[in-house]
Structures are given as structure tokens and as C-alpha cells.
Amino acid sequence: MTDSVSNPEGNVASRQTLLCAALLGMLAVMLGAFGAHALSAVLEPRMQQAYQTAVQYQFWHALALLATGILQRSCDARLLKITALLFLAGVLLFSGSLYLMALTGIRQLGMITPLGGILFILGWALLAWSAFRLDKQQDR
């Protein structure tokens, strides 16, 4: 296991990831409240559901980024930096396309959503691989 004190690159990556996690979490709460209060009377039920799905996935991946940022402090941050980027890009494509679709009514934006889902899956796979490697590093 890499000592976070002797791993300044990991500390910087961790700070960046934790900042992104906090901002995405805060934004998810704000967007969720906006959707529940300001948009509930405006959006048709299907678009309201798409909007809420975007909020939900954004929030879950803010938590995933939080875990990733914490892990970056205690192990090799290179793979976890890619994990964080995958989660961020996933939120942008998945949640972003659903937000835009719900607000504009342009249903073709839904074609972008699965790309974000794929990035989420890849991010979770890399997080699992990182956890596996962390366990192997501790066994030495």
C-alpha cells in the first residue's frame, strides 16, 4: 500500500476527486429540489421520471467519486484517477442527456444516455479492480 504522505500525486488527485464529489452531490440535491418543486407541474410524467433518474444516478455517482477520492489517499492513484474520470464523464453523458431531454423535450438526446451508462459500468469495474489490487498489496 502506498503511504499517502509519500504519494503527493495521490493527494492532489484525491483532493480533486473529493471536490468533484462534493460539487456533484450538492448539485444533485439542488437539481432534485428544483425538479420536485419547480418542474413537477411543468413536465409530463415520463419526462419528470427521466429527470429524477438523472438526479438519482448523479447522486449515486457523487458517492462513488467520494469513495474513489478516499481510496486515492491510500493506494496507487493512477487507476483511480481514470475511475474518477469515467464516473465524471458518465454523469455528464448519462445524467446530462436526461436533464436536457426532460427540459427540452428532445427525445433523441436519450440516445446519448447509454454511453454514460457504459462509462459508469467501466468506472465501477475499475473501482473493483483497484479494490482487488489494494487487497493484494496488503497481503505482501
Side-chain angles (χ1 to χ4, degrees):
M1 182 155 71
T2 305
D3 181 11
S4 63
V5 175
S6 63
N7 186 11
E9 182 182 321
N11 287 338
V12 170
S14 176
R15 272 194 305 274
Q16 292 170 342
T17 302
L18 292 171
L19 176 62
C20 287
L23 293 174
L24 276 180
M26 178 186 71
L27 191 57
V29 172
M30 293 167 61
L31 290 169
F34 178 70
H37 298 290
L39 297 178
S40 62
V42 177
L43 296 178
E44 63 181 70
R46 188 168 176 192
M47 291 296 106
Q48 179 70 26
Q49 181 61 39
Y51 188 92
Q52 288 306 317
T53 298
V55 170
Q56 214 172 37
Y57 273 76
Q58 179 177 334
F59 189 70
W60 284 114
H61 288 88
L63 292 175
L65 275 171
L66 182 66
T68 303
I70 292 168
L71 274 174
Q72 285 173 317
R73 293 244 175 215
S74 61
C75 60
D76 185 0
R78 290 173 293 192
L79 194 57
L80 289 167
K81 190 173 188 177
I82 296 168
T83 301
L85 291 172
L86 287 169
F87 286 146
L88 284 169
V91 168
L92 182 65
L93 292 177
F94 186 92
S95 295
S97 65
L98 289 178
Y99 289 134
L100 286 172
M101 183 177 72
L103 294 172
T104 65
I106 301 171
R107 295 184 189 260
Q108 293 84 351
L109 289 167
M111 295 186 306
I112 298 169
T113 309
L115 298 174
I118 290 168
L119 295 177
F120 285 152
I121 292 167
L122 291 172
W124 284 106
L126 280 181
L127 186 59
W129 179 251
S130 296
F132 175 77
R133 290 184 61 207
L134 178 64
D135 189 41
K136 294 293 183 188
Q137 290 173 352
Q138 289 176 343
D139 289 344
R140 289 185 200 164

